[in-house]
Amino acid sequence: GENVEQHPSTLSVQEGDSAVIKCTYSDSASNYFPWYKQELGKRPQLIIDIRSNVGEKKDQRIAVTLNKTAKHFSLHITETQPEDSAVYFCAASEGFSSGSARQLTFGSGTQLTVLP
Amino acid sequence: EPEVTQTPSHQVTQMGQEVILRCVPISNHLYFYWYRQILGQKVEFLVSFYNNEISEKSEIFDDQFSVERPDGSNFTLKIRSTKLEDSAMYFCASSMDSRTEAFFGQGTRLTVV
């Protein structure tokens, strides 16, 4: 089955700096890679996702890059703000091209702290 | 904005008791999922459900677990005989189809004592 590794486990940055979180996956059949933000005690919320037919996607201060050859994908947050502080999870799935309900395999999470 | 809703938000149960966790997926969604998150750990897949049957299940989803869609709106997870290690946050999720994002509910914190 799929295995997703995520680094670092904790990340502290100064407000305004950039943050980068990296994930690797093992199953070359995976074709959908979402990133979730989870604030303490709350539900995971999708912040950005990327499908295997593109290499990069950007949404305001958040971007994700995908390298299918190396099987890794990264989340980039620019101009970080204190409200970006949360746990970020990457995930992988091969559900995009199938008609069945495919699981998300999550990374272990990164606790991001943005220091004011 | 439509949301996945889960009840109860917190359930405390004695070891060996049965629990049923309830979820109301977003109304036009067809794919349903249960995940769990043990405190401080990653979110783990339990089971997915489509067209009134299980699509996939993980090793965690053993004979003690079952899912049901008893009517057109609810999606339930039953644990027949709870163990201490079942204590976790259980998240329900739904998606419109297999190609779109999964929306998560706010979770049910299950504590087995």
Side-chain angles (χ1 to χ4, degrees):
Chain A
E2 176 64 277
N3 182 48
V4 177
E5 300 285 341
Q6 183 171 349
H7 301 281
S9 56
T10 60
L11 179 61
S12 291
V13 299
Q14 289 294 136
E15 183 177 358
D17 288 349
S18 296
V20 180
I21 303 170
K22 298 182 179 182
C23 288
T24 60
Y25 62 99
S26 60
D27 189 348
S28 56
S30 289
N31 50 32
Y32 174 63
F33 307 94
W35 285 88
Y36 285 85
K37 175 183 180 181
Q38 186 179 31
E39 296 175 8
L40 190 62
K42 297 191 176 180
R43 75 186 76 195
Q45 290 201 295
L46 182 78
I47 54 170
I48 196 167
D49 58 14
I50 191 166
R51 294 180 167 88
S52 59
N53 54 344
V54 297
E56 185 172 358
K57 184 176 178 181
K58 191 173 181 181
D59 183 4
Q60 298 181 350
R61 296 187 297 110
I62 295 171
V64 58
T65 58
L66 170 66
N67 183 328
K68 286 189 294 183
T69 304
K71 297 205 199 74
H72 65 71
F73 56 112
S74 301
L75 177 72
H76 304 253
I77 307 174
T78 58
E79 300 170 31
T80 52
Q81 300 163 2
E83 49 266 39
D84 294 330
S85 296
V87 178
Y88 290 80
F89 290 97
C90 62
S93 168
E94 59 174 293
F96 179 56
S97 59
S98 74
S100 59
R102 304 309 298 268
Q103 61 175 291
L104 290 170
T105 301
F106 283 83
S108 52
T110 296
Q111 173 69 62
L112 174 64
T113 304
V114 180
L115 305 169
Chain B
E1 185 177 330
E3 284 187 339
V4 176
T5 57
Q6 291 183 242
T7 54
S9 55
H10 192 187
Q11 171 107 34
V12 181
T13 189
Q14 290 210 321
M15 192 168 54
Q17 294 296 303
E18 174 184 286
V19 294
I20 297 176
L21 310 183
R22 302 181 192 279
C23 170
V24 178
I26 295 173
S27 62
N28 62 344
H29 285 188
L30 301 176
Y31 294 76
F32 314 115
Y33 313 83
W34 282 101
Y35 289 82
R36 80 170 186 191
Q37 186 178 32
I38 295 170
L39 188 64
Q41 298 186 22
K42 68 168 76 175
V43 178
E44 299 175 291
F45 170 76
L46 292 178
V47 65
S48 60
F49 192 87
Y50 169 68
N51 201 26
N52 286 320
E53 61 183 22
I54 290 174
S55 286
E56 282 188 311
K57 59 183 181 178
S58 70
E59 293 175 353
I60 303 167
F61 194 87
D62 61 21
D63 292 345
Q64 294 300 311
F65 290 86
S66 62
V67 289
E68 200 174 40
R69 189 154 161 81
D71 53 44
S73 60
N74 289 287
F75 179 52
T76 62
L77 174 70
K78 182 193 291 186
I79 310 174
R80 273 182 258 285
S81 177
T82 50
K83 304 187 283 286
L84 295 176
E85 53 265 38
D86 292 328
S87 295
M89 181 74 91
Y90 287 80
F91 290 104
C92 172
S94 69
S95 61
M96 190 177 304
D97 57 46
S98 63
R99 303 182 181 200
T100 55
E101 66 178 283
F103 290 84
F104 282 76
Q106 80 279 21
T108 293
R109 179 163 297 286
L110 176 65
T111 303
V112 182
V113 296

